[in-house]
Amino acid sequence: MILSVLAVVFFAAAAGFGIWYGIIMKPNPPLATAVIHVMTSGSSTSITSTVPVDSPEYGENPPLPNETIEIKKTTFVVELATTAIEQTRGLSFRQNLEPNHGMLFLFGSGSVQNFWMKDMNFPIDMIWISGSRVVGFAENAAPQPGDPLWKLKIYSSPDRTDKVLEVPAGTVAKDAIAVGDVIQGL
């Protein structure tokens, strides 16, 4: 009995690790279904789990719904990254980012937000936002395509950051974006 319980715990932990490894490292193409057999003393249970087959493959990054926002009379068209998977993927694998375009990461509450340049192909500026005000930024973050996780530079926002806007590198300087600027449309 104890061995059966340990086996279930081991396989559940391994499955959980596999999911995060797939999201962070190199996801495998999704399977249509997975069947898990759990055996305890004298009984057997089968669990079938369906995985969406239209999930993006490794290296793909489909566009997200977008909105427009304004900072200092400059209008930006921004894709909205609202889920953990969208936020983890970010702008990875994209080939470029047009001027006055970006990706807006919306978090449930304000705290320190940590970003990396995993699988990025171009430099960006990261604008840290609390409420509707700029609270800081990281300029000209360099891409690190193909670098292993332990070599990635981490960009950390100030505390109470609840949104992060990624825009093409040089935007902060070009538009003279400063701490305290108000973002319209949030």
Side-chain angles (χ1 to χ4, degrees), residues 44-92:
S44 174
T45 304
S46 293
I47 303 169
T48 303
S49 174
T50 303
V51 177
V53 293
D54 60 347
S55 298
E57 299 279 337
Y58 178 72
E60 293 180 7
N61 192 350
L64 302 173
N66 60 51
E67 295 286 336
T68 58
I69 62 171
E70 188 176 303
I71 308 173
K72 286 191 162 181
K73 298 183 183 178
T74 301
T75 301
F76 293 90
V77 177
V78 296
E79 294 180 54
L80 303 177
T82 58
T83 69
I85 291 176
E86 293 167 350
Q87 292 168 351
T88 300
R89 191 177 294 131
L91 291 168
S92 297

Side-chain angles (χ1 to χ4, degrees), residues 10-175:
F10 172 77
F11 286 114
F17 172 77
I19 290 168
W20 283 110
Y21 178 83
I23 290 170
I24 294 171
M25 299 299 283
K26 294 184 179 181
N28 292 322
L31 300 173
T33 59
V35 178
I36 301 170
H37 294 284
V38 179
M39 298 193 65
T40 60
S41 58
S43 67
S44 174
T45 304
S46 293
I47 303 169
T48 303
S49 174
T50 303
V51 177
V53 293
D54 60 347
S55 298
E57 299 279 337
Y58 178 72
E60 293 180 7
N61 192 350
L64 302 173
N66 60 51
E67 295 286 336
T68 58
I69 62 171
E70 188 176 303
I71 308 173
K72 286 191 162 181
K73 298 183 183 178
T74 301
T75 301
F76 293 90
V77 177
V78 296
E79 294 180 54
L80 303 177
T82 58
T83 69
I85 291 176
E86 293 167 350
Q87 292 168 351
T88 300
R89 191 177 294 131
L91 291 168
S92 297
F93 307 110
R94 302 278 179 93
Q95 294 308 306
N96 59 22
L97 191 55
E98 298 295 322
N100 297 344
H101 282 73
M103 182 171 283
L104 183 63
F105 296 76
L106 304 172
F107 300 100
S109 62
S111 64
V112 173
Q113 307 299 339
N114 296 302
F115 277 64
W116 57 21
M117 297 293 287
K118 182 175 174 12
D119 297 317
M120 289 288 294
N121 294 310
F122 52 91
I124 60 172
D125 289 349
M126 298 174 204
I127 302 171
W128 316 119
I129 303 166
S130 179
S132 62
R133 291 199 179 272
V134 174
V135 295
F137 37 80
E139 296 180 81
N140 300 306
Q144 294 181 264
D147 280 2
L149 292 178
W150 61 90
K151 288 188 177 182
L152 295 175
K153 180 176 180 178
I154 303 298
Y155 298 87
S156 298
S157 74
D159 195 15
R160 299 188 193 132
T161 299
D162 61 353
K163 298 170 198 71
V164 177
L165 175 60
E166 292 183 343
V167 292
T171 300
V172 169
K174 175 181 71 73
D175 294 334

